[in-house]
Amino acid sequence: MSHLTQTSIKSGINVPIGHLIVVPKWKNSDLSTTLQSSIQVLYDDNLGLIDFYPSSNTGVVYITEAELVTNSYRRRLAKLRKANKIPIVVIGERTGTSSQYFCSLQKFCVMELGFSLIPVPSQKEAGTFLAQMVHVEGHKETNPFTKKKRSSPLDQALLASVKSIPKLGEVKSRTLLEKFGSLQAISKASIQELTAVVGKASAENIRTFLGNPS
């Protein structure tokens, strides 16, 4: 059965603390090897359109280099947006080959659908990020008193999405998020509002990248 005809999101999934639930297609991959070196991995072939569950209330989708180049990810992500059951984080494989197509993924994924997007150069980097998500989720469950001291995986994903705007950098990305709260709000801000936060050159670059040139 094609993954596009499956149920979008499996209902009632329960992820044990410190575990990651993964679809079997990732077995024997570099990503799986990286994961198994630091966390417990459980395979489930009935996850719908989701690739990974780092917690019971967060789903992660991996967009490969080939999917980026062929633009074959849109239907899958649109179905997940329509299902609208849990927060979705999208990991996009940004390589030398796929880099020129990444802007289209970002605009569709973040601006149109409202998902968080994480660019990674390889499966190993993706595995490290997923393991970090599992550790953060586990810490939140076992020690709620430290919850405010740690950024959630979705906070990290949102920062990474803003940082992927060319020439912006982490400091200005954090400043923008403190001011506007989301990438959608940043995209709707006027050139004057952006200039007041990051300066004219960066403001113009943001507007051009997000498809709203001044």
Side-chain angles (χ1 to χ4, degrees), residues 165-168 172 176 191-192 194-209 214:
I165 297 175
K167 301 180 182 180
L168 195 56
K172 288 184 178 180
L176 283 167
I191 190 71
Q192 291 80 11
L194 293 171
T195 298
V197 178
V198 295
K200 185 177 181 180
S202 292
E204 291 177 347
N205 187 50
I206 292 168
R207 295 276 290 183
T208 299
F209 181 76
S214 56

Side-chain angles (χ1 to χ4, degrees), residues 25-172:
K25 73 177 184 180
W26 292 104
K27 280 185 176 180
N28 303 318
S29 66
D30 288 343
L31 190 153
S32 180
T33 300
T34 301
L35 290 171
Q36 290 174 345
S37 67
S38 58
I39 60 174
Q40 296 293 317
V41 176
L42 302 175
Y43 292 100
D44 187 331
D45 61 1
N46 189 31
L47 298 186
L49 302 180
I50 302 294
D51 288 307
F52 313 97
Y53 278 95
S55 71
S56 300
N57 58 5
T58 303
V60 180
V61 175
Y62 193 100
I63 306 299
T64 65
E65 177 186 79
E67 289 174 310
L68 265 169
V69 173
T70 59
N71 199 33
S72 59
Y73 54 82
R74 296 177 71 91
R75 286 182 60 199
R76 183 185 183 194
L77 295 182
K79 285 175 73 71
L80 287 170
R81 174 73 281 171
K82 185 176 181 180
N84 197 31
K85 291 184 178 180
I86 59 173
I88 299 295
V89 175
V90 178
I91 296 177
E93 203 169 85
R94 187 175 190 174
T95 65
T97 301
S98 67
S99 182
Q100 62 182 308
Y101 305 97
F102 198 83
C103 180
S104 295
L105 171 64
Q106 183 175 47
K107 289 180 179 179
F108 180 68
C109 178
V110 179
M111 306 309 304
E112 296 185 33
L113 302 182
F115 293 156
S116 296
L117 175 63
I118 302 296
V120 297
S122 67
Q123 289 186 20
K124 290 183 179 180
E125 186 73 19
T128 299
F129 176 75
L130 286 164
Q132 183 183 26
M133 290 185 76
V134 171
H135 290 314
V136 171
E137 288 295 334
H139 185 88
K140 285 162 62 180
E141 292 291 334
T142 57
N143 190 357
F145 297 103
T146 62
K147 183 176 181 181
K148 293 183 178 179
K149 296 181 181 179
R150 288 175 175 255
S151 298
S152 72
L154 292 179
D155 290 338
Q156 297 171 26
L158 179 58
L159 177 61
S161 295
V162 178
K163 282 173 60 180
S164 65
I165 297 175
K167 301 180 182 180
L168 195 56
E170 181 164 348
V171 174
K172 288 184 178 180

Side-chain angles (χ1 to χ4, degrees), residues 9-15 21 53 56 85-86:
I9 299 176
K10 182 178 180 179
S11 300
I13 193 165
N14 183 24
V15 182
I21 297 183
Y53 278 95
S56 300
K85 291 184 178 180
I86 59 173

